[in-house]
Amino acid sequence: MSEDTYANAGRPASKAKLTELPAWHALTQHVQRMRRVHLRQLFAADTTRGERFSLQACGLYLDYAKNLITTETIDLLVSLANACGLPRQIEAMFTGQKINVSEDRAALHIALRAPRTQTILLDGHDVVAEVHAVLDRMTAFTSAVHRGEWRGYSGKRLRNVVNIGIGGSDLGPVMAYHALRQYASKEMVFRFISNVDGSDFLEATQDLDPAETLFIVCSKTFRTKETLTNAATAREWIVRSLGDERAVARHFVAVSTNVEAAAKFGIDARQLFGLWDWDGGRYSMDSAIGLSTMLAVGPENFRSMLGGFHAMDQHFRTVPLSRNLPVLMGLLSVWYNNFFDAQTAAVLPYAHDMQRFPAYLQQLTMESNGKHVTLDGAPIDYQTGPIYWGEPGTNGQHSFHQLLHQGTRMVPCDFIGFCRATHPIGNHQELLLANLFAQTEALAFGKTNDEVWAEGVPDWLVPHRVFEGNRPTNTLLADTLDPATLGALVALYEHSVFTQSTIWHIDAFDQWGVELGKSLAERTLAALAGSAAPGLDSSSRALIRYCRERREGHAG
Ligand code: F6P
């Protein structure tokens, strides 16, 4: 690999390893001091800390005061980001350089939300013009369905939309549908099928009239077994109920880069919405993969969501690192992951409609940053992506928050809240917000031995009732959960993930780790059907034998 490749870009001439950079050493020293500091002291020493460690951009307010940091920490983290060439890597992404090194591709998801007037050239083509051509076709199709011009084969209006896809072809659409359901048409039903377990298909379709149902088959590659299996079942369901192969043309559209495979399935080019190889599945909810979102909330709201994404893109590209929301969140994640040895990070949206957001973020963060070699293929001797998990509040408070407050592990948390509800129901929003703020307060400051004792708690019970506190949190607030806010929030996490990957010097845009399981599944499928499977280990062989015996016994 030449000195000029992206893999080497941003590194100092000596190509020092991350852990050998002076900025890394400085943080290693600094954390020794910070491990002895309590958030109570940091807040007592500076009554304006809450204001000083907060930022506003793109309709979001980030409070990062309840982190184990000082201004020196931020300075050192920003120095590390500079030493790792973050500003140059951001520019490389925005200008379409092949930053997805292992697949030799650009990662141009920012083009999906670029305004029509912008030009981004990739191999001589203006990708923004191509993106808008697809957006216009999505808009025309959505309007035709909404106005009843595009009808089912028997002439009935299409009232049900079923998205079939998995991973990035499912998690974005289902998350966005739930998040924006207050904006969704109440006359239509939206369902999402991802699991190859047939009960997912059954559950999603059993109360639907096939004559009123539109399937969107979302698969970038059109090669994903789960999606193709579910799509074939859906095809059978339509043809059997409507009694004619020709019904497929009215009841199916697809989103894919693979025109040939979609055509083989029976979807011709007019019903195919295109994607590009420079856009990874987990970065695609704002492409045609979001067709179900557009059908639910309408083209205008969809474009408003793209506006939110774009505003955050601009912020990420232009604002200095120390005031840059995604950069700060990414650097804080590195701080806890690599200097406090935190193993996991929790995402806790205090909004029921954000219930699928943690699952969405799991793919975004862990498929991107769960990597074990650097961009140039060298083994890594530091931790990369943490494990992300979470649930909406306040439900989580009555289950796993016990561990967050009094467990032995550090779990940095992102709390996400909205000042105004999207519904008019009673004082629920006040309760929700009060709980959110109270949780971050309790996690940060806890309750001391003396405070517990002063409440008259018997001595023997005091240790059980003590909260150490000093548990770091970010709080993200927005006015309300609307399309633009959702776009800004997703772009914030996308760029935070990129910031982290740049520090760790890894490829955030490939996902080779999912391949082995897929190819082994082919072999075990044959073994389950009774074929010999040479090379199969004794444990897998015994499991398959046990299954076959149970199934045969049942059949008998
Ligand atoms: O197997 C992982 C993965 O490749 C994801 O990266 C992707 O989002 C998902 O499968 C679905 O892929 P496709 O859209 O090609 O069906």
Side-chain angles (χ1 to χ4, degrees), residues 26 46 224 273 279 282 287 295 346 506 515 538 547 552:
D46 175 5
T224 307
F273 297 88
D279 183 33
R282 55 194 176 274
S287 71
L295 280 158
I506 56 178
E515 293 305 322
S538 59
C547 264
E552 277 158 19

Side-chain angles (χ1 to χ4, degrees), residues 166-169 218-222 224 227 281-282 363 367 511 514 518:
I166 197 163
S169 298
C218 279
S219 177
K220 180 176 165 183
T221 55
F222 224 87
T224 307
T227 300
R282 55 194 176 274
Q363 188 199 12
E367 206 173 62
Q511 58 283 317
V514 296
K518 283 191 202 172

